[in-house]
Amino acid sequence: MAEITFYGAAQEVTGSCHLVSSPALGAVLLDCGLHQGMKAKTEAVREQFPFNPYSLDAVILSHAHLDHCGRLPLLVHDGFNGDIYCTEATAQLLPIMLFDALSLYENDLMRENRKLKRKGQCELTPQYTKADVLHVLALLKPTAYQQQRKLADNASVFFYDAGHILGSAIVELKFDEHSRQKTLIFSGDLGNKDTLLMKDPTCLTRADLVVMEGTYGDREHRTQGDTLAQFKDILHRAYTKGGNVMIPAFAVGRTQELLLYLGKLQLAGELDDWHIFLDSPMAIEVTQIYDQWLPTLDCEGVKALCTGEQTLLKHFLSTLHLMVSPEESMSINKITNGALIIAGSGMCTGGRITHHFKHRIWESRNTLIFVGYQAQGTLGRRLVEGAEHIRMFGEQFAVKANVETLGGFSAHAGQQELSDWIGHFQLPLQLALVHGEPGALATLKEKLRCDHGIEAEIPVYGQTIKF
């Protein structure tokens, strides 16, 4: 009998990793993601896999966010040498994501080894290297949406647009078992339908088991119209205060949506005189890939703003400045007002945004805007929850900047969208809820029981479900 064991994103929102096993299918891993948090860059990567990577037949990747793909280099370092199936756009994004993560990991490891050396203790050896990242990229099998990929004689995988970020996929596994075809659907991260850039998630109708995310299982998002109005209001108030705006944003997905929203405001003459600084080499590189795929994305949202030769980076926002080098990034510190700074990391666990905090978070004339989910244990989560003081770079800083949250920018489906998506499936249906904090998943479970009569399971780490 087929079974799935949950080794990540089980009652948490990071570290997606699920092992599917069947005689016809073999051993297939759905995602291989990092746990994200303040110490995740060094600590999570050292965790040993609870299975033998060498024994896996394949990996199927839902999308390129690090909490879904970040441990792939460690997986190959520990012996995996099979195929890694993903969409074509995901295959383009992965080199950027994995090499950036490697750089952060190596820098953190170097700092930690300096501390150990000063204490006379043994230094830590790298758990993976550039060679492992290159090995991952060599194993990729880019696959178009709805194209059949055979995993074995009687097993195939299909990808469908999840509408979350560029290349994000709903995974459909089909395989024969005891003269009967079985189907497993893994939602990956389902997108928010009310966005400018991405298409709506594809609706499917039949499965023996659905593994569905529930990040926002306990709440709804603001509508696009309400979000844009709130964004405009926050920016206008910030401008009249004579300060600067800081926006922590994920390099993949959130940054590109932000550029479109800002472009819409500028086109309507409602942006004031903000100068927009995209202070992230990674986000700039990712946006260049988005530009290549613009015709395949949400045509109405893109066509309304991009005409002729315009792209997200080219002649789209007249006041957009691309900051690549450290020197360019530091030059923003000299600007006293009118700077709108978009920088990573999205959860404020490091990156250039923390340096902008260092120079601005203690001044009340500045504004900090959160436009994405902030996981437990991150600096972003503490700020959203109202921290009055934070510690960075060995110093304590007072939080005097105005802190705002814009939930409508989320790239995840809200509660009702999750319910509507699962409602397309034929009953009876076996359902497991993952990628959500316990309270959100419990609320979603009750919602699905009331809406559809579906009794969902909420697996814990290491739990196995047969189907």
Side-chain angles (χ1 to χ4, degrees):
M1 193 173 190
E3 61 182 34
I4 182 170
T5 305
F6 301 90
Y7 291 121
Q11 301 190 30
E12 60 180 345
V13 294
T14 64
S16 180
C17 185
H18 316 293
L19 180 59
V20 184
S21 301
S22 163
L25 185 64
V28 174
L29 197 65
L30 299 176
D31 286 347
C32 190
L34 275 174
H35 288 79
Q36 292 180 306
M38 291 303 292
K39 298 182 180 179
K41 295 188 288 292
T42 54
E43 290 187 356
V45 78
R46 295 187 207 128
E47 296 172 3
Q48 295 299 307
F49 289 106
F51 49 83
N52 182 0
Y54 184 79
S55 68
L56 298 175
D57 294 291
V59 173
I60 299 173
L61 193 59
S62 65
H63 63 286
H65 275 151
L66 286 177
D67 61 326
H68 293 258
C69 71
R71 298 187 78 200
L72 285 173
L74 186 61
L75 192 74
V76 301
H77 183 89
D78 287 358
F80 174 72
N81 196 39
D83 293 328
I84 301 173
Y85 297 93
C86 64
T87 66
E88 296 166 313
T90 294
Q92 284 185 265
L93 292 171
L94 276 176
I96 302 171
M97 304 298 290
L98 295 181
F99 279 119
D100 183 75
L102 173 65
S103 176
L104 292 174
Y105 170 63
E106 289 177 335
N107 289 337
D108 287 345
L109 191 64
M110 183 171 60
R111 282 192 291 268
E112 192 161 343
N113 278 335
R114 279 201 301 265
K115 295 177 184 177
L116 293 172
K117 193 172 182 179
R118 287 196 295 265
K119 296 176 183 178
Q121 298 176 1
C122 294
E123 296 182 35
L124 300 171
T125 57
Q127 296 297 299
Y128 74 98
T129 65
K130 179 181 178 181
D132 296 312
V133 174
L134 292 172
H135 190 179
V136 169
L137 301 179
L139 297 175
L140 296 181
K141 298 294 181 184
T143 303
Y145 286 127
Q146 302 185 45
Q147 174 188 339
Q148 181 182 18
R149 275 283 195 173
K150 295 201 73 174
L151 303 177
D153 288 341
N154 296 302
S156 299
V157 62
F158 300 82
F159 292 117
Y160 300 89
D161 196 340
H164 174 60
I165 64 168
L166 180 66
S168 61
I170 299 163
V171 176
E172 182 182 55
L173 276 177
K174 289 182 176 291
F175 54 95
D176 292 341
E177 190 171 84
H178 305 304
S179 301
R180 174 178 172 266
Q181 188 179 74
K182 284 196 171 181
T183 302
L184 181 151
I185 301 292
F186 172 45
S187 73
D189 286 353
L190 292 173
N192 180 357
K193 294 171 70 174
D194 196 17
T195 62
L196 284 175
L197 190 56
M198 302 306 300
K199 291 183 177 179
D200 294 347
T202 305
C203 291
L204 302 176
T205 60
R206 205 200 75 77
D208 295 281
L209 172 67
V210 175
V211 178
M212 184 177 78
E213 69 115 324
T215 309
Y216 286 94
D218 59 348
R219 73 194 92 164
E220 300 292 355
H221 305 307
R222 284 176 175 266
T223 65
Q224 183 187 122
D226 288 346
T227 299
L228 196 61
Q230 185 188 8
F231 193 29
K232 179 182 70 173
D233 180 60
I234 292 170
L235 291 178
H236 183 64
R237 283 189 280 112
Y239 192 80
T240 59
K241 289 171 72 174
N244 298 298
V245 165
M246 299 168 285
I247 305 181
F250 299 107
V252 184
R254 197 58 39 81
T255 292
Q256 293 73 35
E257 286 280 350
L258 271 172
L259 293 177
L260 275 175
Y261 274 84
L262 289 167
K264 191 167 186 177
L265 289 174
Q266 188 178 79
L267 191 65
E270 298 174 329
L271 192 57
D272 292 313
D273 193 24
W274 287 108
H275 278 259
I276 300 153
F277 295 88
L278 182 50
D279 189 22
S280 169
M282 182 179 173
I284 293 168
E285 195 172 357
V286 166
T287 308
Q288 290 170 340
I289 294 177
Y290 266 77
D291 282 343
Q292 297 173 27
W293 290 87
L294 276 182
T296 72
L297 301 180
D298 186 340
C299 296
E300 293 308 313
V302 174
K303 282 182 179 177
L305 297 170
C306 299
T307 58
E309 296 299 314
Q310 285 187 340
T311 64
L312 292 173
L313 291 181
K314 183 180 178 183
H315 311 307
F316 176 64
L317 276 162
S318 62
T319 58
L320 177 62
H321 308 272
L322 306 180
M323 316 305 279
V324 177
S325 70
E327 292 75 19
E328 289 172 326
S329 177
M330 288 186 286
S331 71
I332 305 172
N333 298 334
K334 301 174 185 177
I335 301 173
T336 57
N337 65 313
L340 191 158
I341 307 157
I342 303 170
S345 70
M347 295 186 189
C348 311
T349 54
R352 292 184 177 183
I353 195 66
T354 56
H355 290 274
H356 293 297
F357 285 178
K358 179 180 178 179
H359 288 88
R360 295 180 174 85
I361 203 165
W362 42 270
E363 283 193 289
S364 60
R365 65 193 183 93
N366 294 320
T367 300
L368 169 58
I369 305 176
F370 284 100
V371 294
Y373 189 87
Q374 304 300 309
Q376 287 186 348
T378 63
L379 175 57
R381 182 64 165 258
R382 294 206 299 276
L383 287 165
V384 166
E385 291 178 344
E388 295 182 355
H389 293 86
I390 59 173
R391 191 166 183 82
M392 304 180 299
F393 310 108
E395 296 181 55
Q396 184 164 293
F397 294 83
V399 181
K400 298 294 185 182
N402 182 42
V403 179
E404 300 278 359
T405 301
L406 282 173
F409 276 111
S410 177
H412 287 266
Q415 184 193 69
Q416 189 59 53
E417 289 179 329
L418 291 168
S419 178
D420 291 345
W421 185 79
I422 203 68
H424 286 87
F425 284 91
Q426 299 172 16
L427 299 180
L429 177 69
Q430 197 172 353
L431 173 64
L433 300 178
V434 297
H435 207 285
E437 293 176 3
L441 296 182
T443 301
L444 181 59
K445 177 178 178 176
E446 182 60 29
K447 168 77 171 172
L448 299 182
R449 178 189 292 126
C450 294
D451 286 0
H452 310 293
I454 297 173
E455 289 294 334
E457 293 187 69
I458 303 177
V460 298
Y461 181 92
Q463 181 178 339
T464 298
I465 293 177
K466 296 183 184 297
F467 65 100

